[in-house]
Amino acid sequence: MIVRLFNQLCKAAVVALAVAAAPGIQAQTQPFPSRPIVLVVPFAAGGPTDVVARMLAVPMAKSLGQTVVVENTVGAGGTIASQRVVKATPDGHMVFLHHMGMSTAPALYRKLGFDPLKDFEFIGQVVDVPMTMLARKDFPANNLNELIAYLRVNKEKVTLANAGLGAVSHLCGMLFMSTIGIDLTTVPYKGTAPAMTDLLGGQVDLLCDQTTQTVPLIRDGRVKVYGVTTLKRLASLPNVPTLDEQGMKGFEVKVWHGLYAPRGTPREVTDKINLALRDALADPGIRQRMAELSSDIPSADKITPQGLKSHLEAEIAKWGPVIQKAGIYAD
Ligand code: ASP
């Protein structure tokens, strides 16, 4: 009786082990791609990162022969999405588009729960996007000098939107406030898409945001613009001065992006995704759209796993000490 029970328990254990092992075995043997691929975006739908992801999804799907579905996993400056991706089955059916927030998160978040350099496979750099300093359309100041003068007197009642700690809108806003030496009340959102909705609606006053969202709104005169964050003016907005030329010497923020997969995704799978990424970035339609948004497609050597990894390493090394020195923590 006891022996039979023991045998049954052993059998059950063997079955349980086989079931538990099955996904791993499947992940290695299943051809890739064998179902739609989820492209995770760490900010709200309709915003700058989402715009890039949706632009890539169509040509990437074409070269991979499977649908690419964009999913927005928002919150905590993009780190909730990172946590989701590191836990995903590493078989290539989940990939992750993130920007330079990947390099600031380790310094900003003391309880991050993942290591950007160790917990991902690298696919390649994607696009470099400038930013623009904006206000709601009816904000009193009409240029940068007037803005600074206005803020000196009215700082208590002015709000500055961002997409959470570690978002580039947050970093740009911090740089702006430290350059002018004025602290404003910041209002965090789950992406600059909802922040922009509130800027257009007049619920917040200021926002520093990427051209992937802002160029059409600036051209249509739906927001007020004070400057671009590159050292040269942008071809898409030739009449908008740089912050640098208006006296904010060296004010430069350009937002790089990378495509990642969970650690352990087989190399032959990341190679296929890399090829699809390179195909997408070579697509004339995408190149034209990116140019219209003054966003630069990186050189071929950067659209590689090593190109992304080295850049992330350099950026972590650059931002870590700056953030530590400023003593800013998100948690
Ligand atoms: N790029 C983010 C977005 O897509 C926001 C940010 O990082 O500021 O909403």
Side-chain angles (χ1 to χ4, degrees):
M1 177 66 184
I2 292 180
V3 171
R4 213 192 307 146
L5 190 63
F6 179 75
N7 281 343
Q8 273 172 359
L9 279 176
C10 282
K11 251 193 232 157
V14 168
V15 171
L17 274 177
V19 169
I25 291 166
Q26 249 180 9
Q28 278 163 18
T29 55
Q30 249 183 18
F32 172 80
S34 54
R35 58 176 192 282
I37 294 147
V38 174
L39 171 53
V40 175
V41 168
F43 298 102
T49 316
D50 188 73
V51 164
V52 176
R54 284 174 207 274
M55 241 188 260
L56 292 177
V58 178
M60 282 187 74
K62 212 156 116 200
S63 57
L64 289 166
Q66 267 288 353
T67 317
V68 174
V69 184
V70 175
E71 282 187 16
N72 304 82
T73 301
V74 302
T79 56
I80 295 193
S82 304
Q83 284 160 2
R84 176 185 176 195
V85 176
V86 297
K87 287 188 208 119
T89 307
D91 62 1
H93 291 97
M94 183 175 285
V95 288
F96 184 35
L97 177 71
H98 200 355
H99 59 34
M100 60 192 264
M102 195 71 136
S103 60
T104 54
L108 281 172
Y109 290 79
R110 284 165 293 189
K111 296 184 210 101
L112 194 55
F114 66 90
D115 182 335
L117 284 170
K118 292 202 185 117
D119 293 334
F120 294 95
E121 301 298 338
F122 302 94
I123 295 170
Q125 288 187 48
V126 180
V127 69
D128 298 327
V129 183
M131 302 191 80
T132 48
M133 190 67 206
L134 309 173
R136 61 180 159 84
K137 198 180 164 189
D138 53 355
F139 195 71
N142 287 318
N143 55 49
L144 185 64
N145 278 340
E146 282 182 30
L147 173 64
I148 297 169
Y150 183 86
L151 294 179
R152 292 219 187 286
V153 181
N154 298 287
K155 60 174 189 262
E156 260 84 37
K157 56 180 191 192
V158 177
T159 50
L160 170 63
N162 66 43
L165 293 158
V168 286
S169 44
H170 167 236
L171 297 170
C172 178
M174 275 196 325
L175 194 58
F176 186 80
M177 290 189 290
S178 77
T179 306
I180 61 174
I182 297 173
D183 265 344
L184 301 169
T185 305
T186 54
V187 185
Y189 292 82
K190 298 213 182 305
T192 52
M196 183 60 80
T197 304
D198 273 8
L199 194 77
L200 293 171
Q203 284 88 9
V204 283
D205 299 313
L206 304 175
L207 170 67
C208 183
D209 196 15
Q210 293 162 260
T211 55
T212 30
Q213 167 158 266
T214 63
V215 166
L217 298 167
I218 293 169
R219 285 216 189 119
D220 290 350
R222 296 181 63 199
V223 288
K224 220 167 236 188
V225 60
Y226 297 114
V228 297
T229 66
T230 42
L231 298 183
K232 275 195 191 153
R233 290 192 185 201
L234 304 177
S236 61
L237 300 167
N239 299 327
V240 179
T242 68
L243 293 174
D244 177 88
E245 78 181 64
Q246 297 178 85
M248 290 190 162
K249 282 286 155 234
F251 196 111
E252 189 182 17
V253 187
K254 210 158 186 198
V255 185
W256 60 273
H257 294 70
L259 191 65
Y260 305 82
R263 186 181 57 185
T265 307
R267 183 64 196 233
E268 62 270 22
V269 170
T270 53
D271 281 350
K272 276 191 192 172
I273 303 169
N274 174 269
L275 188 61
L277 174 65
R278 280 188 284 143
D279 282 352
L281 293 177
D283 180 291
I286 295 243
R287 295 187 83 86
Q288 191 192 332
R289 189 73 194 119
M290 292 293 185
E292 283 163 8
L293 299 171
S294 289
S295 301
D296 296 332
I297 292 173
S299 54
D301 59 314
K302 293 184 177 171
I303 313 172
T304 58
Q306 194 51 47
L308 174 56
K309 186 167 185 243
S310 323
H311 193 60
L312 180 62
E313 277 166 355
E315 287 282 291
I316 289 175
K318 176 175 118 185
W319 284 104
V322 176
I323 293 168
Q324 267 152 18
K325 195 166 158 228
I328 321 150
Y329 296 107
D331 52 15

